[in-house]
Amino acid sequence: MTKEEALKTLEDLKNSPNMVKHALACGFVMRTLCHHLSSQSSDLPSEALAKEESFDLDDWEIVGLLHDADYELTNKSLDLHTEETTKKLKETGADQTIIDAIRGHCDKAPRETQMAKAIYACDELTGLIVACALVQPDKKLKSVTVESVLKKFKDKSFARGASRDQIKTCETELNIPLEEFTSITLKAMQEKAGELGL
Ligand SMILES: [Fe+2]
């Protein structure tokens, strides 16, 4: 599957403009995380990497783009979520690693690869960062700082839907400290602020 096909899939599954923005944000962040983690993977013991580990930038971006592709279509039903996307991905002959990472973000497959762990952790953080942008006077991503995100991270009443525990798996599963993970994610989103409309 190509990035263009992934964008077309978002369209076919009738995603709202807001959902497309969430997809784009996660796609950009996943691409950046792929770059970051692949440069570190040579330091990891080989048993820490799954056999089917892939560090293909496009594949990682596609996981970000499509992880919630059927979320609105399946009416936010956790039982059905990712099933329609899985069907589409199988039709296009997409890599099983991509399918497993997407299913893994809502606990439908074990999160064994770095790719699967990355989408699980960054999905919620992109939501928290968008919420941080929306409370800035100019509502822009460029006004958001790592410090302000970390402060809101601790404020459990802010953006309640963004699971802090899930974001925190960046430390336990990816070995990236929260502050660094926030910095990488925020920077990736700020670079594409125009496309995200923020
Ligand atoms: Fe998501």
Side-chain angles (χ1 to χ4, degrees):
M1 168 171 276
T2 63
K3 184 180 169 181
E4 286 63 38
E5 286 171 323
L7 291 170
K8 171 86 170 54
T9 302
L10 285 176
E11 224 177 279
D12 291 348
L13 296 178
K14 305 193 181 345
N15 280 269
S16 68
N18 263 344
M19 195 50 115
V20 172
K21 280 181 196 157
H22 173 61
L24 289 171
C26 290
F28 297 141
V29 173
M30 281 294 283
R31 202 173 176 90
T32 308
L33 285 172
C34 176
H35 193 71
H36 179 83
L37 287 163
S38 63
S39 66
Q40 292 194 327
S41 65
S42 52
D43 300 336
L44 288 171
S46 55
E47 63 270 23
L49 295 171
K51 242 194 293 151
E52 68 278 20
E53 200 72 66
S54 150
F55 286 112
D56 182 286
L57 289 167
D58 286 341
D59 283 357
W60 280 58
E61 184 166 5
I62 287 166
V63 168
L65 283 170
L66 293 185
H67 75 285
D68 275 342
D70 65 9
Y71 188 68
E72 292 176 325
L73 189 79
T74 55
N75 242 332
K76 302 178 184 169
S77 151
L78 266 192
D79 268 0
L80 298 175
H81 184 31
T82 71
E83 299 301 343
E84 200 59 40
T85 310
T86 300
K87 224 171 28 186
K88 282 255 176 206
L89 284 164
K90 284 192 171 152
E91 276 166 21
T92 59
D95 222 81
Q96 190 61 37
T97 320
I98 294 178
I99 297 172
D100 287 343
I102 289 176
R103 297 181 68 82
H105 99 276
C106 57
D107 298 321
K108 292 216 173 150
R111 290 180 289 277
E112 290 173 329
T113 60
Q114 302 267 296
M115 180 194 264
K117 292 168 184 175
I119 185 61
Y120 186 71
C122 80
D123 183 11
E124 301 286 298
L125 181 56
T126 61
L128 179 64
I129 290 175
V130 169
C132 287
L134 294 177
V135 295
Q136 299 299 319
D138 62 2
K139 296 189 172 19
K140 296 286 183 199
L141 275 171
K142 69 167 166 31
S143 304
V144 179
T145 62
V146 172
E147 294 66 39
S148 66
V149 178
L150 292 176
K151 206 167 148 205
K152 294 294 191 192
F153 183 94
K154 288 195 203 122
D155 175 1
K156 298 286 186 305
S157 63
F158 180 82
R160 237 182 268 258
S163 162
R164 286 12 178 211
D165 287 344
Q166 196 167 327
I167 297 170
K168 272 282 226 175
T169 61
C170 65
E171 301 197 326
T172 50
E173 298 293 320
L174 296 170
N175 232 346
I176 306 176
L178 177 65
E179 188 175 344
E180 187 184 356
F181 191 64
T182 303
S183 167
I184 293 168
T185 304
L186 177 60
K187 210 167 149 236
M189 290 173 72
Q190 285 173 331
E191 276 170 15
K192 302 286 184 177
E195 281 170 75
L196 301 178
L198 288 165

